[in-house]
């Protein structure tokens, strides 16, 4: 019932009771005010709004009890009385408020608009206020905003199929405006802009029978653009199966296709270099294996490992390593384009490793081996050299392992095995010094199996039962044993005596060296404490693995061992290689300074074979340099070795550092070195091989005369 109809009824001398009965049928909340805005009556609709306690008692409703707010979530009340009086003071029969929020006693908020009308009743002035519920309009607006907020095109049709409510995304995707679409049925639009992958009649039949159809389509817009899309259309019917609406959804698949292409590229190509990655290479190898079964052709995989990249990463950072890999990839790609454009695929594997799948043009296996050997040498020459990076100039070379396949019937031909065999060959090339190539041999499989056995043995080894510490004396120029180097020996119950040169690199790689190194420290600390009761000035030197040294808890472990064993650190020298100074140099210096503060002396082992000798010596609180045995063996015959030894001796003298020369095997070497530096300590088989602690104690600790003349 409208306000105007209510006014007409009141003018017909109705009683208030009759008028109220009429007002109670209105969907709007209605309040009748006197000319001074006192409540005369109100209808039951206000009861549904829940804004007062006693809807049958007009006195229970006052202006203060009508909780109107300008915003839904703020506490600012709408000044109803001020608005009413201001409306009364201006001309006009009807006045409309902005949208407000009516809150019930339970704090439910209802969107309303107030409409105030001036009426005459029984020759008296009244004001009729109606509260119009705007919930449905807001829901419709919210639905439209929701439709417009999505990137999916949507439309709703009338019952006869005309497109009445397209959202903004649908307009943008199709290039049509709303006026044009309102004159089109969804069938008209399908025929105008959509290319279906199935017959049109089948789509319509499915829609009518199942009330839904969905499929991939191609859209041709008004601007002559085209794109693939996913289109869905649903038919809504009432309980009597009468059509009420059709709802269409249109989703552009362009971004999805681009994303899929990106995913595929990331899955099969290396991000850094753009080359094929390991996954793609694996598939190509498998394809080559299948091809070789058909036409008896031969192929080869070249596994390329760059030499020295770890040092570059540790020194300049991984960004420098990445820059180097990019330059190497470019050089190798250019070389391949000159010699094997169609036959070779270059891929980047993990880290600093590359691979080349070479598809030979002959069935002669020996001829393929010759081609691979020639290609390997050309690649080694191509890669070897200096590279200019933003971080500085660096040098690298390559070790290449190759595997020609098919192999022997005894070996599996799966792609994983081919990669593994080429990797084994590359590892052999590195073992032989790097910057060279190595062709896979079946004997490498046996070596790999033995290495695996060694790893398993290490993992299950019992330290106290299988390992022993040995000691090798270090003597002064008078032949007196003044200190000893601690060495480890492994006596495995099945493998027998395993050389440290074999198991220590494997233990470092698998990090078993941390457990082994702790065991050695504990045993050596206890041993030197016992010996110092007899010889207080005697020292032991203990090798510290770089892996062990860079453990976060290394210093805490050392402190704990000192407290547990009560050893005097001033009788212990910890031997470190120059390599520990390269990785995280700042932290390494802090650890060394901490060790020195505890009383330990620090020796640089294998000095002269490292990378940064002079620069770090200026900063480190070290006490001793140990000349590597490789410079001692041919000291008199090789002028270069003698020049290096002279330089190390002069350096030690200038820095007031102790010197130890290891690998002494002849009296001539003793005389040569003591003549150069009388205070040098000597160590080697000329005096004694490494021996167990009990035997060492008898020879050099308990005897009053512990001078050594010869081994």
């Amino acid at each position: 019932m409208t306000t105007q109809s209510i006014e007409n009824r009141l003018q017909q001398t109705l009683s208030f009771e009759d008028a109220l009965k009429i007002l109670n049928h209105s969907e709007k909340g209605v309040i009748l005010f006197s000319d001074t805005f006192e409540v005369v009556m109100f209808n039951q609709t206000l009861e549904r709004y829940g804004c007062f306690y006693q809807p049958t008692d007009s006195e229970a409703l006052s202006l203060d009890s009508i909780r109107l707010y300008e915003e839904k979530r703020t506490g600012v009340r709408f000044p109803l009385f001020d608005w009413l009086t201001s409306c009364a003071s201006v001309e006009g029969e009807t006045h409309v408020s902005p949208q407000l929020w009516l809150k019930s006693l339970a704090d439910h908020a209802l969107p309303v608009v107030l409409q105030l009308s001036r009426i005459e009743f029984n020759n008296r002035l009244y004001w009729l206020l109606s509260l119009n519920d705007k919930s449905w309009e807001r829901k419709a607006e919210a639905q439209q905003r929701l439709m417009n907020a999505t990137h999916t095109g949507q439309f709703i049709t009338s019952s006869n199929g005309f497109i009445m409510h397209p959202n903004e995304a649908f307009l943008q995707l199709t290039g049509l405006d709303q006026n044009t679409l309102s004159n089109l049925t969804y069938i008209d639009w399908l025929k105008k802009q959509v290319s279906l992958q199935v017959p049109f009649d089948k789509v319509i039949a499915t829609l009518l029978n199942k009330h839904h159809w969905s499929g991939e389509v191609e859209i041709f817009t008004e601007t002559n653009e085209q794109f693939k899309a996913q289109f869905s259309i649903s038919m809504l019917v009432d309980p009597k199966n009468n059509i009420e609406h059709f709802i269409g959804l249109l989703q552009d698949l362009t971004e999805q296709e681009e994303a899929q292409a990106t995913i595929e590229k990331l899955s099969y190509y290396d991000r850094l270099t753009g080359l094929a990655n390991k996954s793609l290479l694996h598939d190509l190898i498998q394809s080559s294996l299948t091809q070789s079964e058909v036409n008896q052709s031969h192929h080869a995989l070249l596994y390329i490992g760059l030499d020295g990249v770890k040092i570059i990463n540790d020194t300049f950072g991984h960004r420098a390593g990445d820059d180097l890999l990019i330059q190497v990839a470019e050089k190798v790609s250019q070389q391949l384009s000159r010699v094997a454009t169609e036959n070779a695929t270059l891929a980047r594997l993990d880290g600093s490793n590359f691979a080349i799948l070479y598809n030979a043009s002959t069935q002669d296996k020996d001829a393929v081996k010759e081609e691979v050997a020639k290609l390997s040498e050309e690649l080694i020459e191509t890669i070897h050299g200096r590279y200019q990076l933003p971080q500085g100039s660096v040098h690298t070379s390559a070790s290449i392992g190759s595997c020609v396949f098919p192999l022997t019937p005894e070996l599996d031909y799966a792609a994983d095995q081919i990669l593994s065999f080429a990797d084994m060959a590359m590892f052999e090339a590195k073992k032989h010094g790097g910057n060279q190539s190595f062709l896979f041999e079946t004997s490498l499989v046996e070596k790999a199996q033995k290495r695996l056995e060694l790893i398993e043995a290490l993992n299950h080894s019992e330290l106290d039962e299988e390992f022993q510490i040995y000691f090798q004396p270090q003597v002064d120029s008078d032949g007196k044993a003044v200190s000893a180097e601690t060495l480890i020996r492994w006596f495995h119950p099945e493998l027998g005596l395993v050389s440290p040169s074999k198991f220590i690199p494997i233990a470092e790689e698998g990090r078993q060296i941390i457990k082994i190194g702790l065991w050695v420290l504990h045993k050596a600390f206890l041993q030197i404490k016992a010996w110092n009761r007899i010889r207080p000035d005697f020292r032991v030197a203990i090798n510290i693995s770089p892996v062990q040294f860079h453990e976060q808890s290394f210093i805490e472990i050392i402190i704990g061992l000192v407290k547990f064993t009560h050893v005097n650190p001033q009788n212990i020298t910890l031997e470190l290689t120059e390599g520990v100074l390269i990785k995280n140099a700042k932290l390494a210096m802090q650890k060394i300074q901490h060790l020195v503060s505890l009383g330990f002396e620090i020796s640089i082992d294998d000095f002269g074979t490292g990378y940064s000798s002079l620069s770090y010596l200026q900063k480190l609180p070290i006490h001793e340099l140990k000349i590597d045995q490789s410079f001692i063996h041919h000291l008199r015959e090789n002028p270069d070795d003698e020049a290096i030894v002279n330089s190390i001796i002069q350096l030690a003298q200038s820095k007031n550092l102790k010197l130890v020369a290891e690998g002494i095997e002849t009296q001539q070497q003793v005389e040569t070195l003591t003549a150069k530096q009388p205070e040098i300590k000597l160590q080697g088989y000329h005096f004694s091989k490494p021996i167990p602690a009990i035997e060492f104690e008898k020879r050099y600790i308990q005897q009053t005369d512990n001078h050594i003349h010869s081994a």
Side-chain angles (χ1 to χ4, degrees):
M1 181 177 292
T2 64
T3 303
Q4 188 61 42
S5 65
I6 294 172
E7 182 180 352
N8 292 338
R9 292 282 186 145
L10 290 173
Q11 293 289 2
Q12 296 175 5
T13 65
L14 294 172
S15 67
F16 282 123
E17 289 76 9
D18 294 335
L20 182 58
K21 290 180 181 178
I22 297 172
L23 293 177
N24 283 336
H25 289 284
S26 173
E27 294 180 356
K28 303 176 182 179
V30 178
I31 306 173
L32 184 64
F33 292 107
S34 67
D35 58 345
T36 58
F37 293 106
E38 294 179 355
V39 177
V40 177
M41 67 173 64
F42 53 86
N43 69 350
Q44 291 179 349
T45 307
L46 289 178
E47 182 181 3
R48 297 199 304 271
Y49 294 168
C51 58
F52 48 91
Y53 290 106
Q54 301 292 335
T56 59
D57 184 359
S58 62
E59 292 182 357
L61 182 65
S62 65
L63 291 180
D64 291 337
S65 67
I66 303 175
R67 304 172 66 205
L68 287 167
Y69 295 84
E70 296 180 4
E71 298 292 339
K72 184 176 183 179
R73 292 180 176 84
T74 61
V76 180
R77 292 283 291 266
F78 176 68
L80 178 58
F81 183 77
D82 293 343
W83 181 76
L84 292 172
T85 54
S86 65
C87 291
S89 64
V90 298
E91 295 183 0
E93 296 294 325
T94 304
H95 306 276
V96 180
S97 74
Q99 182 186 287
L100 304 173
W101 292 92
L102 177 65
K103 290 190 177 181
S104 69
L105 295 172
D107 257 355
H108 297 303
L110 186 72
V112 296
V113 172
L114 306 183
Q115 183 173 321
L116 183 66
S117 299
R118 182 190 190 98
I119 62 174
E120 296 284 341
F121 185 73
N122 291 336
N123 297 321
R124 289 187 62 182
L125 174 64
Y126 293 91
W127 295 98
L128 188 65
L129 179 68
S130 60
L131 289 76
N132 304 320
D133 184 359
K134 296 294 183 180
S135 299
W136 286 106
E137 293 179 19
R138 286 186 60 82
K139 287 180 180 178
E141 292 173 0
Q143 183 65 32
Q144 189 63 42
R145 286 197 301 271
L146 187 62
M147 287 178 62
N148 288 334
T150 180
H151 294 293
T152 301
Q154 301 179 24
F155 67 75
I156 301 174
T157 75
S158 62
S159 59
N160 53 9
F162 282 93
I163 300 175
M164 303 304 296
H165 299 289
N167 69 350
E168 290 295 331
F170 189 80
L171 298 177
Q172 293 176 5
L173 289 171
T174 61
L176 299 171
D177 57 46
Q178 190 158 354
N179 290 333
T180 303
L181 285 169
S182 63
N183 293 316
L184 296 175
T185 66
Y186 73 92
I187 293 177
D188 296 333
W189 172 72
L190 286 172
K191 292 181 177 179
K192 179 181 179 66
Q193 288 193 316
V194 180
S195 174
L196 300 164
Q197 295 183 354
V198 295
F200 181 81
D201 293 343
K202 187 175 181 179
V203 173
I204 300 300
T206 301
L207 179 61
L208 294 175
N209 292 331
K210 298 184 178 180
H211 296 181
H212 179 78
W213 181 87
S214 179
E216 189 172 309
V217 300
E218 195 164 5
I219 303 297
F220 296 86
T221 69
E222 291 297 289
T223 55
N224 294 324
E225 297 178 1
Q226 63 185 75
F227 60 90
K228 289 183 179 180
Q230 184 72 24
F231 177 61
S232 301
I233 186 166
S234 300
M235 183 175 72
L236 304 184
V237 298
D238 64 15
K240 294 184 179 181
N241 215 31
N242 296 313
I243 297 174
E244 291 186 337
H245 304 287
F246 292 92
I247 298 177
L249 299 176
L250 184 68
Q251 183 177 5
D252 187 358
L253 297 181
T254 303
E255 291 185 2
Q256 182 176 324
E257 288 186 336
E258 291 175 351
Q260 184 64 32
T262 301
I263 291 172
E264 290 180 1
K265 185 173 182 180
L266 292 175
S267 299
Y268 289 105
Y269 292 91
D270 176 52
R271 292 187 183 185
L272 181 66
T273 62
L275 299 174
N277 65 10
K278 191 172 184 178
S279 296
L280 179 55
L281 179 66
H282 183 281
D283 292 349
L284 293 174
I285 294 172
Q286 201 63 48
S287 176
S288 297
L289 287 166
T290 303
Q291 181 183 349
S292 65
E293 292 177 0
V294 175
N295 55 22
Q296 304 301 309
S297 59
H298 282 85
H299 312 272
L301 183 68
L302 286 73
Y303 203 113
I304 305 171
L306 300 186
D307 301 323
V309 175
K310 184 179 185 302
I311 299 171
I312 294 170
N313 285 334
D314 291 342
T315 306
F316 296 106
H318 286 275
R319 179 61 184 272
D322 289 346
D323 291 338
L324 173 64
L325 294 177
I326 292 171
Q327 289 192 32
V328 170
E330 291 176 352
K331 290 183 72 172
V332 174
S333 296
Q334 292 172 3
Q335 177 65 18
L336 289 178
S337 67
R338 289 191 290 267
V339 299
T341 307
E342 298 179 357
N343 296 335
T345 300
L346 175 63
R348 185 202 168 195
L349 307 179
D350 48 3
S352 57
N353 298 321
F354 296 85
I356 297 172
L357 177 61
Y358 180 72
N359 295 312
S361 56
T362 176
Q363 296 180 348
D364 186 342
K365 190 172 184 178
D366 291 334
V368 175
K369 288 182 178 180
E370 291 180 6
E371 292 178 13
V372 169
K374 181 181 179 183
L375 178 59
S376 297
E377 292 304 314
E378 291 172 345
L379 291 171
I380 287 171
E381 185 177 349
T382 298
I383 296 171
H384 184 272
R386 300 204 69 81
Y387 293 78
Q388 296 298 323
L389 307 177
Q391 300 84 355
S393 175
V394 299
H395 174 274
T396 194
S397 57
S399 300
I400 300 179
S402 57
C403 176
V404 176
F405 59 94
L407 294 161
T408 63
E410 293 79 18
L411 294 176
D412 197 350
Y413 293 161
D416 288 336
Q417 277 70 37
I418 301 300
L419 275 163
S420 177
F421 295 156
D423 186 16
M424 289 181 191
M426 187 272 291
F427 186 72
E428 285 297 311
K430 282 187 178 292
K431 281 176 60 177
H432 287 80
N435 196 34
Q436 57 185 291
S437 62
F438 194 93
L439 180 64
F440 172 78
E441 301 170 351
T442 55
S443 61
L444 294 181
V445 177
E446 296 177 8
K447 288 184 180 180
Q449 290 173 343
K450 290 181 179 179
R451 187 171 184 272
L452 184 61
E453 289 176 1
L454 206 57
I455 293 172
E456 287 297 310
L458 272 174
N459 288 333
H460 297 90
S461 61
E462 295 292 337
L463 292 174
D464 287 329
E465 295 178 6
E466 300 177 20
F467 288 86
Q468 292 184 29
I469 54 172
Y470 277 39
F471 296 90
Q472 188 174 33
Q474 296 174 339
V475 305
D476 60 16
S477 57
D478 295 329
K480 180 181 179 181
V482 294
S483 56
E485 181 179 4
T486 307
L487 301 167
I488 188 170
R489 294 294 181 264
W490 183 18
F491 298 92
H492 190 268
E494 296 179 3
L495 302 177
L497 176 61
V498 183
S499 169
S501 62
K502 289 185 177 180
F503 76 81
I504 287 181
I506 294 175
E508 287 182 328
E509 184 179 322
R511 300 183 66 81
Q512 297 99 334
I513 195 66
I514 296 172
K515 179 181 71 172
I516 295 172
L518 176 60
W519 182 85
V520 170
L521 284 168
H522 183 212
K523 293 292 184 181
F525 280 17
L526 291 174
Q527 190 63 71
I528 188 58
K529 181 188 175 187
W531 286 346
N532 284 153
R533 295 191 186 102
I534 304 171
R535 291 192 58 186
D537 60 340
F538 197 79
R539 307 183 61 83
V540 294
I542 307 170
N543 289 284
I544 303 298
S545 162
V547 176
Q548 183 183 11
F549 178 81
H550 286 294
E551 268 291 287
Q552 187 175 2
S553 59
F554 176 70
I555 296 296
E556 287 76 11
I557 289 173
I558 292 290
I559 294 173
L561 280 174
V562 170
K563 291 180 179 179
F564 181 75
T565 59
H566 301 287
V567 74
N568 185 355
Q570 294 180 352
N571 293 106
I572 299 173
T573 299
L574 299 179
E575 293 187 1
L576 305 173
T577 61
E578 289 181 77
V580 304
L581 308 177
I582 299 300
K583 180 180 179 182
N584 202 339
K586 183 177 179 181
L587 183 59
M589 289 183 186
Q590 291 174 356
K591 286 186 175 182
I592 291 173
Q593 289 169 346
H594 201 148
L595 292 170
V596 171
S597 71
L598 294 172
F600 294 99
E601 289 193 359
I602 304 298
S603 175
I604 302 299
D605 194 14
D606 302 335
F607 188 76
T609 63
Y611 325 104
S612 55
S613 312
L614 295 176
S615 61
Y616 283 102
L617 279 178
Q618 305 296 330
K619 305 173 184 178
L620 288 174
I622 62 174
H623 306 82
E624 181 181 271
L625 299 180
K626 197 168 186 182
I627 304 174
D628 186 66
Q629 60 184 341
S630 62
F631 303 125
I632 302 298
H633 288 164
H634 305 288
L635 185 60
R636 296 287 293 269
E637 298 86 2
N638 192 325
D640 291 335
D641 286 350
E642 186 167 9
I644 292 173
V645 171
N646 289 337
S647 298
I648 295 173
I649 291 173
Q650 292 172 7
L651 177 63
Q653 290 173 338
S654 67
K655 298 297 180 184
N656 196 27
L657 299 175
K658 300 176 185 178
L659 269 177
V660 178
E662 61 180 352
I664 304 298
E665 296 180 350
T666 66
Q667 182 62 29
Q668 188 181 50
Q669 292 169 344
V670 173
E671 294 171 357
T672 301
L673 289 167
T674 52
K676 295 177 182 292
Q677 171 56 277
E679 296 181 1
I680 195 170
K681 289 192 292 183
L682 306 170
Q683 174 184 347
Y685 274 42
H686 179 67
F687 306 104
S688 172
K689 65 180 181 180
I691 54 179
I694 295 176
E695 184 179 346
F696 189 94
E697 183 174 322
K698 290 179 181 178
R699 286 192 193 181
Y700 308 118
I701 303 298
Q702 293 179 347
Q703 291 185 8
T704 55
D705 181 12
N706 49 34
H707 286 71
I708 302 175
H709 302 287
S710 62

